[in-house]
């Protein structure tokens, strides 16, 4: 384990396309500062896992990267293009899996994907939808209403929705929470495919084992800041939990 007291802010190599970049990102809720001046740059094919305690601002960071929330200050760019809330093309480059799921319970699994596919202007939904449902193990539930699906099935369907339009940037907020073993296995397999190199992934999770398994970069967020960041290759899984708690305790002023 390499113990780093100062965060390492390594940008992608010059030869690698920068997919997402955040500069001086701040989110304030009244007097509460949820995200406090985060700088981040990720190249194509990178997989960043962000760990951190509850209240560290991880979900707020993801929402700002997704364009689902306006930053109080700072900028976000996708492929060098600054975030524009009125630009549908910008949104088509991002897919997000969050706690909400963004699914309509009265619609079937297929109808949900068709609805979102039309929002993104996709013209090959008759091919895409069956393929996505098959990949997440829901081909036999295509015509089942979402309200009748288990939590794990809904999470898998939400993942299919997030990937339906083949986004360049995939954002995952605690994707393993509440999943049964079967759903967790499917999620793990899909995430492994995402790591193949074409997409850039940012995942927030409390699951240290799953979070380290696929990451190319690792960060620990505390009190709205990246208290530590480094390459996955520099992190040994054995002892990481202790290191994580040391970083968190220091960031919270417990040491």
């Amino acid at each position: 384990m390499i113990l780093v007291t100062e965060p390492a802010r390594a940008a992608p190599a010059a030869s690698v396309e920068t997919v997402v970049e955040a500069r001086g990102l701040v989110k304030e809720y009244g007097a509460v500062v949820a995200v406090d001046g985060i700088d981040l740059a990720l190249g194509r094919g990178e997989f960043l896992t962000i760990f951190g305690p509850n209240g560290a601002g991880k979900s707020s960071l993801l929402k700002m990267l997704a364009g689902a929330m306006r930053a109080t200050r700072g900028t976000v760019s996708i492929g060098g293009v600054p975030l524009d809330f009125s630009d549908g093309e910008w949104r088509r480059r991002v897919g997000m899996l969050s706690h909400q799921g963004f699914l309509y319970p009265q619609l079937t699994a297929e109808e949900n994907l068709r609805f979102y596919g039309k929002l993104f202007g996709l013209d090959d939904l008759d091919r895409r939808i069956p393929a996505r449902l098959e990949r997440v193990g829901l081909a036999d539930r295509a015509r089942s209403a979402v309200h009748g699906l288990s939590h794990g099935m809904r999470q898998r369907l939400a993942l299919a929705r997030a990937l339906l339009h083949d986004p360049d940037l995939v954002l995952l907020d605690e994707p393993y929470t509440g999943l049964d073993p079967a759903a967790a296995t499917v999620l793990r397999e899909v995430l492994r495919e995402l790591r193949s190199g074409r997409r850039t992934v940012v995942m927030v999770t409390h699951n240290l084992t799953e979070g380290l398994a696929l990451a190319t970069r690792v960060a620990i967020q505390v009190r709205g800041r990246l208290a530590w960041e480094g390459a996955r290759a520099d992190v040994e899984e054995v002892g990481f939990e202790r290191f994580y708690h040391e970083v968190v305790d220091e960031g919270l002023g417990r040491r």
Side-chain angles (χ1 to χ4, degrees), residues 66-67 70 76-78 81-91:
R70 293 181 183 272
V76 177
S77 299
I78 300 290
V81 179
L83 188 156
D84 182 347
F85 284 88
S86 64
D87 185 358
E89 185 60 35
W90 194 93
R91 291 178 180 276

Side-chain angles (χ1 to χ4, degrees), residues 12-121:
S15 60
V16 178
E17 175 193 357
T18 299
V19 172
V20 59
E21 184 172 15
R23 292 297 175 211
L25 212 55
V26 174
K27 181 60 183 180
E28 298 173 346
Y29 299 97
V32 176
V33 181
V35 176
D36 190 8
I38 284 182
D39 294 329
L40 184 67
L42 291 172
R44 185 169 297 281
E46 290 197 275
F47 193 123
L48 171 67
T49 298
I50 302 177
F51 300 108
N54 292 332
K58 304 183 300 298
S59 293
S60 293
L61 173 61
L62 284 193
K63 289 177 182 178
M64 287 188 287
L65 294 179
M69 175 188 289
R70 293 181 183 272
T72 304
R73 291 186 297 279
T75 61
V76 177
S77 299
I78 300 290
V81 179
L83 188 156
D84 182 347
F85 284 88
S86 64
D87 185 358
E89 185 60 35
W90 194 93
R91 291 178 180 276
R92 276 191 283 272
R93 300 193 67 178
V94 183
M96 184 170 182
L97 176 63
S98 72
H99 303 294
Q100 290 82 8
F102 304 114
L103 299 172
Y104 292 90
Q106 72 277 16
L107 299 181
T108 66
E110 180 181 5
E111 288 169 342
N112 266 277
L113 295 187
R114 191 168 297 278
F115 172 76
Y116 280 101
K118 289 181 178 178
L119 286 182
F120 285 115

Side-chain angles (χ1 to χ4, degrees), residues 17 26 67 87 103 116 121 151-152 159 161 169 194 205 213 232 251:
E17 175 193 357
V26 174
D87 185 358
L103 299 172
Y116 280 101
H151 171 75
L159 179 61
R161 174 200 56 75
L169 175 64
L194 291 181
T205 182
R232 171 63 180 89

Side-chain angles (χ1 to χ4, degrees), residues 99 151 155 173-180 187 204-206:
H99 303 294
H151 171 75
Q155 187 79 329
D173 192 358
E174 295 289 356
Y176 288 97
T177 300
L179 292 189
D180 57 76
L187 175 61
V204 163
T205 182
H206 284 96

